Amino acid sequence: MSWMKWLPWRYLVKRMAHQHGFLDPIALLSKLHSFAQPSEVGEPIELLRAGVVFHARGLINSRVIQHNLDWVWPYWIERQFDPNDPAFIPRAFSITHINLSNRNWTAIGLPDVDDLPVVDPRGLVTPLYDGWSLDGWLLADDGRCLLPSRCKISRQWLELEDNPCVVTESEMDGLRLVSRAQVVMEQGRPVCQLELQGHSDVPGSLVVSLRPANPEGVSFIRRVKLSPQRNAWKVDGRHSVQFSRPAQSHHVSDYRQGDVHIHLADIADQNEGRCDVGLVTAAALFPVRAGKATTLTITVPMGKETASRATPESWPEALDGHARLECPDPTWQFLYEAAMRSLVLHSPDDVYPGPYTYKRFWFRDAAFIVHALLCAGLTQRAERALSQFPERQLKNGYFRSQEGEWDANGEVLWIVQRFHAITGRKLAMDWFEPVSKGAHWIQKKRVSGNIDKPHAGLLPAGFSAEHLGPNDYYYWDDFWGIAGLKAASKLLAKDDPESSEAFAAGAEEFSRTVDRSLASCQRRLKRRAMPASPYRRLDAGAIGSLAVGYPTQLCEPDDPRLLDSVEFLLENCFVNGAFYQDMIHSGLNAYLTLHVAQVLLRAGDARFLALMDAVAELASPTGQWPEAIHPGTGGGCMGDGHHVWASAEWVLMVRNCFVREEGDRLILCAGVPERWLEQEAPIRFGPAPTGFGTITVTIQPHPGAPPEVTWTGSWHREEPTVEVRLPGWKS
């Protein structure tokens, strides 16, 4: 209300704080803002909201976990709270306790089904988004109990045949437990299915345990009830967990009585349990005969039960026509296949950069993920995702997913132009206005060029890619803005030549402005490398400025500024062969390492291969990458534990190793490792869409003799110039 501005609320807040011995929050906030460039926005409210939720759970974790370490907790807690483990993190004065050492999980699901259960590194399954979990244990009658989250011997892998399935195998002193987690359709409804198989050298019990926790920490359960047939749970009166046969015994516990784990040997059964605190645990036990494998299947229906639910595509249907990789490297092959399935899983309509922490929309992530879908031949899926974009455009032309991220418009226009180049289609009529308005927004949003400042003519200070640092005038935004104007010019060239020319001229003028700003940086820093902004020293944030070379290709492959930036990063910001982002992410980044590799590949620098191999080594056993990876333990330390942008970059990197567009020509095989040519099996990639048409590349190695490179293409127009640059061989 207007009268609120007349209240001396700042004075009242300061006075109240001083009276109670607190720091002045107004002064503190002003100090925080002084570390960033003045901006019309602070951190995007969506990220602040997500952070509040994140740390709210962390606060609950701090009140629950450290006082109950005799409970059976998820793998990350067992490791992070163990003083003898390398992943141990002292808690001391930390207000919240969050997963900072093993943020690893794998999504399972079906094409075009929005429900994405996650499986942690020891087989703990969280069937419902941000909910409780199911764990499998094996209890021997002599008292031994195999608990996967505490087990010293365990391995996990992803089976890709038919339906992707996460398999976890744990062993201990004559006990072995194998779990298989996947999503299947039952009676027209997606169901999370967990199959447990127990092997024991003595009689015992297979245990299914209901856990009030997940890969982020505590997740409340207030009530559980066993069905009269003893073959199902009803959790909090809403969700059903079904067993393939009746439980022989059943136990329930609450927070005051401790974890149900300590009650497994109790004689009395409990069919129902409640906990006002919200920490119900339950265990259903099923007999295991000595030396005999015992199997149990647990299912959790997901989504809403509707008669009209459409049957989702099968995996063969969803992957039909995609660019296939055939290579002699089983690791690269597996990672490519796993990444393709990640792209499909996370593009039901919108695209998501993750199944859990990042199951929401960003234009930035979407541009890279959609580009991977396009380059891998999943055109319809990419088109469906792009069709969601216009509804997020504001009336002023801003494509907004998060406020204050000024790269979005350029990314949207760039990926729309890539779609039309790759498909060979004309711009659809309903895209004319969004494209034109989006390009005009870029031009209008720029700071005045008439000020005597290094940021004159650039886009405003903003939060941009959040891993670059506090609000600033990021060159990342500017390069995307230029790319967006160039894209709009191409898209409108035939039907609106006047606007096309205006946007092309705007892109040229914007480029000259950025060049002038970068020249001032060169004088200040005494080298050509590009910092993150005109006001920054060279640091890890300079990774964002590589956008001028990849993926926008706004400069030549051998641009001195680009290559010097890469040299700075390689010399100062790499740990264990991978890019280490010390701001916010504080970990090794697979997708940013691959950005550097893309620049090196484009420049013909063989060091790209070592970076690809390093990224391959950072992948989890299920072929996934968390957003940031702990340099010491290899576990995830930031972001989603199954980061789809990273999967997209692996697909794009492999594709560019075989076929890359460079100006008016195609470059073939420039990234194919020479070691692959030491065997005789053919190497293939395709059909791979490009801006010239679709191509399939085949390499027939002849050890000791020159390999044979052939290709077939279905071109939009005439065949482009093709250059073969197979390492170690002259074309």
Side-chain angles (χ1 to χ4, degrees):
M1 288 185 269
S2 60
W3 55 268
M4 284 288 290
K5 66 183 181 181
W6 298 104
L7 288 177
W9 63 271
R10 290 177 179 267
Y11 169 77
L12 294 174
V13 169
K14 289 183 179 183
R15 183 176 176 83
M16 185 72 70
H18 285 308
Q19 284 181 339
H20 290 84
F22 286 97
L23 292 173
D24 177 358
I26 305 298
L28 184 61
L29 285 173
S30 67
K31 287 293 185 184
L32 287 174
H33 291 153
S34 69
F35 291 105
Q37 292 290 344
S39 174
E40 61 189 83
V41 295
E43 289 80 358
I45 189 65
E46 292 85 353
L47 290 182
L48 292 175
R49 188 184 299 117
V52 168
V53 172
F54 187 73
H55 282 287
R57 168 172 279 137
L59 187 60
I60 294 168
N61 291 346
S62 70
R63 300 291 293 177
V64 175
I65 297 170
Q66 62 184 330
H67 310 296
N68 296 282
L69 290 175
D70 60 336
W71 284 45
V72 179
W73 292 109
Y75 178 65
W76 75 268
I77 296 174
E78 296 288 352
R79 292 201 63 184
Q80 190 166 304
F81 285 68
D82 181 355
N84 297 311
D85 196 287
F88 172 71
I89 296 177
R91 296 177 289 283
F93 296 105
S94 299
I95 297 175
T96 66
H97 297 167
I98 56 180
N99 184 354
L100 294 175
S101 59
N102 283 278
R103 300 185 64 80
N104 301 82
W105 46 83
T106 305
I108 52 176
L110 294 171
D112 301 331
V113 171
D114 196 58
D115 304 283
L116 293 174
V118 296
V119 186
D120 92 341
R122 291 300 172 88
L124 181 80
V125 179
T126 306
L128 307 171
Y129 177 74
D130 200 25
W132 39 264
S133 301
L134 298 172
D135 205 7
W137 306 336
L138 188 58
L139 176 67
D141 285 354
D142 59 15
R144 290 173 295 155
C145 190
L146 189 161
L147 304 169
S149 65
R150 296 180 181 176
C151 200
K152 300 298 183 183
I153 303 175
S154 183
R155 67 189 189 101
Q156 187 176 70
W157 64 93
L158 179 67
E159 291 183 352
L160 297 175
E161 298 79 11
D162 300 323
N163 195 31
C165 176
V166 176
V167 185
T168 311
E169 182 181 57
S170 302
E171 295 185 49
M172 184 196 79
D173 300 334
L175 306 178
R176 185 165 71 94
L177 179 66
V178 179
S179 70
R180 299 174 59 86
Q182 61 185 326
V183 174
V184 299
M185 293 295 292
E186 288 188 358
Q187 299 178 341
R189 188 176 185 182
V191 169
C192 179
Q193 182 187 88
L194 173 63
E195 181 186 279
L196 298 176
Q197 186 178 82
H199 305 255
S200 176
D201 55 355
V202 299
S205 299
L206 196 57
V207 183
V208 181
S209 183
L210 180 66
R211 314 304 300 163
N214 61 36
E216 292 283 26
V218 173
S219 183
F220 296 118
I221 303 173
R222 290 178 171 79
R223 180 162 52 103
V224 65
K225 185 175 183 180
L226 183 67
S227 70
Q229 297 80 21
R230 301 177 67 84
N231 65 351
W233 281 322
K234 182 66 75 171
V235 182
D236 286 333
R238 293 176 298 170
H239 302 296
S240 176
V241 179
Q242 300 163 0
F243 315 133
S244 57
R245 64 177 183 274
Q248 183 181 63
S249 59
H250 184 265
H251 304 288
V252 180
S253 188
D254 61 18
Y255 179 67
R256 304 301 173 193
Q257 295 175 316
D259 192 353
V260 73
H261 172 247
I262 65 177
H263 300 287
L264 295 181
D266 290 358
I267 297 176
D269 256 16
Q270 305 86 35
N271 293 332
E272 184 174 2
R274 296 173 181 266
C275 180
D276 293 337
V277 175
L279 288 173
V280 164
T281 54
L285 282 69
F286 304 83
V288 173
R289 295 171 60 186
K292 297 278 187 176
T294 299
T295 301
L296 176 73
T297 302
I298 306 100
T299 55
V300 180
M302 303 184 302
K304 295 181 180 179
E305 190 171 7
T306 62
S308 60
R309 178 186 290 274
T311 302
E313 284 186 304
S314 67
W315 278 102
E317 289 171 332
L319 293 169
D320 184 44
H322 82 283
R324 296 181 180 276
L325 170 67
E326 296 177 32
C327 75
D329 188 322
T331 299
W332 281 38
Q333 184 76 46
F334 168 69
L335 292 177
Y336 183 81
E337 298 296 339
M340 287 301 307
R341 285 155 179 79
S342 290
L343 294 177
V344 170
L345 275 184
H346 295 82
S347 55
D349 280 309
D350 273 333
V351 291
Y352 307 126
Y356 187 10
T357 311
Y358 289 160
K359 196 180 180 187
R360 52 188 184 273
F361 181 84
W362 277 278
F363 276 119
R364 180 187 312 113
D365 300 66
F368 285 91
I369 295 169
V370 171
H371 196 216
L373 290 170
L374 283 171
C375 291
L378 300 182
T379 308
Q380 290 184 336
R381 190 167 292 274
E383 183 175 14
R384 185 174 61 191
L386 287 173
S387 70
Q388 314 292 315
F389 285 14
E391 65 187 38
R392 288 188 167 91
Q393 188 180 35
L394 304 185
K395 291 182 179 179
N396 66 355
Y398 178 35
F399 284 97
R400 183 177 73 87
S401 52
Q402 281 74 36
E403 192 63 53
E405 296 185 310
W406 311 136
D407 52 342
N409 275 47
E411 288 153 353
V412 170
L413 298 177
W414 175 82
I415 192 59
V416 170
Q417 193 277 324
R418 286 292 293 151
F419 171 81
H420 286 86
I422 284 174
T423 60
R425 300 184 200 170
K426 287 184 59 178
L427 183 66
M429 288 299 297
D430 55 357
W431 265 103
F432 272 84
E433 184 177 3
V435 167
S436 183
K437 287 172 61 177
H440 278 298
W441 180 90
I442 294 172
Q443 292 183 314
K444 293 177 182 177
K445 194 65 181 178
R446 293 170 57 193
V447 174
S448 170
N450 296 324
I451 59 175
D452 186 20
K453 297 285 186 180
H455 67 270
L458 304 184
L459 285 168
F463 202 57
S464 190
E466 73 281 354
H467 55 268
L468 300 182
N471 282 354
D472 213 331
Y473 300 91
Y474 287 115
Y475 290 125
W476 164 275
D477 293 338
D478 301 313
F479 291 137
W480 278 112
I482 295 166
L485 290 174
K486 285 179 174 286
S489 176
K490 293 177 182 177
L491 289 166
L492 300 176
K494 290 185 178 179
D495 297 285
D496 188 356
E498 184 176 350
S499 294
S500 174
E501 291 176 9
F503 294 143
E508 290 301 317
E509 187 273 328
F510 198 172
S511 295
R512 291 192 295 271
T513 298
V514 173
D515 287 342
R516 285 195 295 271
S517 182
L518 286 171
S520 71
C521 292
Q522 182 176 338
R523 292 190 294 271
R524 174 170 60 88
L525 300 172
K526 296 180 175 56
R527 64 182 297 178
R528 290 177 171 177
M530 299 173 289
S533 90
Y535 299 101
R536 288 271 284 275
R537 299 180 296 278
L538 287 171
D539 54 30
I543 191 79
S545 298
L546 298 191
V548 70
Y550 172 81
T552 66
Q553 294 193 350
L554 293 176
C555 67
E556 293 298 318
D558 59 353
D559 184 286
R561 300 173 306 179
L562 178 64
L563 298 186
D564 193 36
S565 298
V566 166
E567 293 304 327
F568 167 80
L569 294 170
L570 289 170
E571 292 168 9
N572 298 277
C573 304
F574 270 63
V575 174
N576 300 334
F579 175 72
Y580 171 70
Q581 176 55 285
D582 50 17
M583 288 175 285
I584 301 179
H585 287 192
S586 63
L588 308 177
N589 288 83
Y591 68 105
L592 294 176
T593 302
L594 292 176
H595 283 205
V596 179
Q598 290 276 17
V599 173
L600 292 173
L601 173 63
R602 190 167 173 241
D605 190 323
R607 289 178 293 176
F608 80 89
L609 184 57
L611 303 192
M612 288 191 71
D613 286 337
V615 169
E617 290 180 8
L618 290 172
S620 75
T622 58
Q624 316 303 334
W625 295 272
E627 182 173 26
I629 300 167
H630 192 296
T633 68
C637 62
M638 190 269 183
D640 209 301
H642 181 156
H643 195 227
V644 185
W645 187 352
S647 299
E649 291 293 356
W650 184 259
V651 169
L652 290 166
M653 190 77 221
V654 170
R655 182 261 196 184
N656 285 354
C657 284
F658 281 89
V659 54
R660 185 181 85 249
E661 296 149 87
E662 193 67 60
D664 61 354
R665 62 195 186 280
L666 287 178
I667 310 298
L668 303 187
C669 306
V672 174
E674 289 187 62
R675 61 180 184 252
W676 290 4
L677 306 177
E678 297 171 359
Q679 49 81 53
E680 296 182 349
I683 303 164
R684 293 189 182 91
F685 187 78
T690 74
F692 304 100
T694 302
I695 186 171
T696 297
V697 181
T698 302
I699 306 170
Q700 180 57 62
H702 300 292
E708 182 182 359
V709 179
T710 58
W711 62 92
T712 58
S714 176
W715 312 113
H716 297 324
R717 290 170 292 278
E718 67 278 0
E719 181 174 355
T721 300
V722 176
E723 294 183 18
V724 177
R725 297 185 185 175
L726 189 63
W729 302 93
K730 294 183 178 180
S731 58

